[in-house]
Amino acid sequence: MNNAPIGIFDSGMGGLSVWQEIAEALPDESLIFFGDGARCPYGDRSHDEILQFTIESVARLLDEGCKMIVIACNTATAVAIEYLRQCYPDTPFVGLEPAVKPAALTTKSGTIAVLATARALEGELFLHTSAQFADSVNILKAVGEGFVEIVERGEEYSAEAETAVRSVIEPLIEKGADKIVLGCTHYPFLRPTMERVIGDRDVEVIDSGRAVCRRVAQLLDEYDLRAEQGSEPLYEFMTLGDDDYFDRMIYRAYGCIGEEEAEDDEQTDN
Ligand code: DGL
């Protein structure tokens, strides 16, 4: 039993898609979300920059007493997770990688598409998993150009978002993809727009949210770190962004729950 929080890190607000899944699946667990915000997007940055930013952010979460760290960012996972595991061998880490396997196992057309940042598509884990299915499945790779910025601005229902999504997704569907794997934690916020663009075509959008929750639960058991059943979870938020960024982060996190409840829980750290 351990009531310490789970730390969840992302370059910005995208990791809140993972935060929401974990909060729902593991309602006893306290969570600290750290969205860098000031240096987002990470996707086009150099390997060394991403590594440095991720190390700094994880150190902050560990200083807060987190018992486990979820790198809710495919890009940071691709660059930094192995290094972090070596630095902190006693801390369980969960990373994000594109859900290639379920897509490859269920495709009917034999073609799947993976959408991610340029840096995440270079990640060893992704390359390794893709190679495993390369003989049986055609894997198309595409960068969601502009997607991260649109989500950071909270404009995922705008005309610009629809144009950006259409220009990335249409060519993939034309090439036969019937599964679109979201390999960036910002992209699930664009899912409704993607589904509108897909329309009634037989194309499924797949993200990693559920798989990450299963892995977190598994590690909590393995390390005997579950919070006491029925305990009141605390949700805290940290960012390097400004006050406006912090407010928008809270608003996105809580989505439809009352503002008062959100205010009770929030902690500013910018
Ligand atoms: N949310 C991120 C990911 O999953 C990072 C996007 C970015 O900062 O470019 O890759």
Side-chain angles (χ1 to χ4, degrees), residues 2 13 37 67 78 108 122 126 148 153 171 183 189 256 269:
N2 187 323
M13 298 199 200
K67 61 186 175 186
K108 287 181 249 161
E122 289 166 3
F126 168 66
V148 171
R153 293 196 301 271
F189 290 110
C256 48
D269 195 71

Side-chain angles (χ1 to χ4, degrees), residues 70-211:
V70 179
I71 306 292
C73 176
N74 296 67
T75 310
T77 300
V79 169
I81 200 146
E82 285 316 318
Y83 182 83
L84 290 165
R85 284 185 174 131
Q86 278 167 26
C87 291
Y88 304 104
D90 298 330
T91 304
F93 281 86
V94 176
L96 262 284
E97 70 166 312
V100 170
K101 190 175 170 185
L105 294 178
T106 55
T107 175
K108 287 181 249 161
S109 68
T111 297
I112 68 168
V114 179
L115 286 185
T117 67
R119 202 53 77 192
L121 289 171
E122 289 166 3
E124 247 174 68
L125 217 57
F126 168 66
L127 294 176
H128 180 73
T129 317
S130 313
Q132 284 181 310
F133 293 98
D135 287 343
S136 51
V137 176
N138 179 26
I139 304 178
L140 308 173
K141 291 180 271 182
V143 174
E145 289 298 346
F147 289 12
V148 171
E149 292 84 345
I150 288 168
V151 172
E152 285 289 303
R153 293 196 301 271
E155 291 173 359
E156 54 269 30
Y157 294 98
S158 64
E160 185 199 344
E162 180 149 347
T163 307
V165 164
R166 195 176 292 283
S167 69
V168 173
I169 279 187
E170 282 298 347
L172 300 171
I173 299 177
E174 270 163 33
K175 286 184 190 142
D178 68 347
K179 305 282 169 191
I180 296 181
V181 178
L182 306 185
C184 170
T185 54
H186 281 73
Y187 298 177
F189 290 110
L190 284 162
R191 183 191 272 267
T193 307
M194 290 180 190
E195 285 171 349
R196 206 171 44 246
V197 167
I198 291 167
D200 57 10
R201 289 175 285 186
D202 189 14
V203 175
E204 187 191 6
V205 178
I206 299 176
D207 68 46
S208 312
R210 294 266 160 78

Side-chain angles (χ1 to χ4, degrees), residues 1 3 28 226-232:
M1 272 325 155
N3 282 352
D28 297 325
R226 286 244 184 205
E228 222 168 309
Q229 237 185 343
S231 48
E232 189 69 36

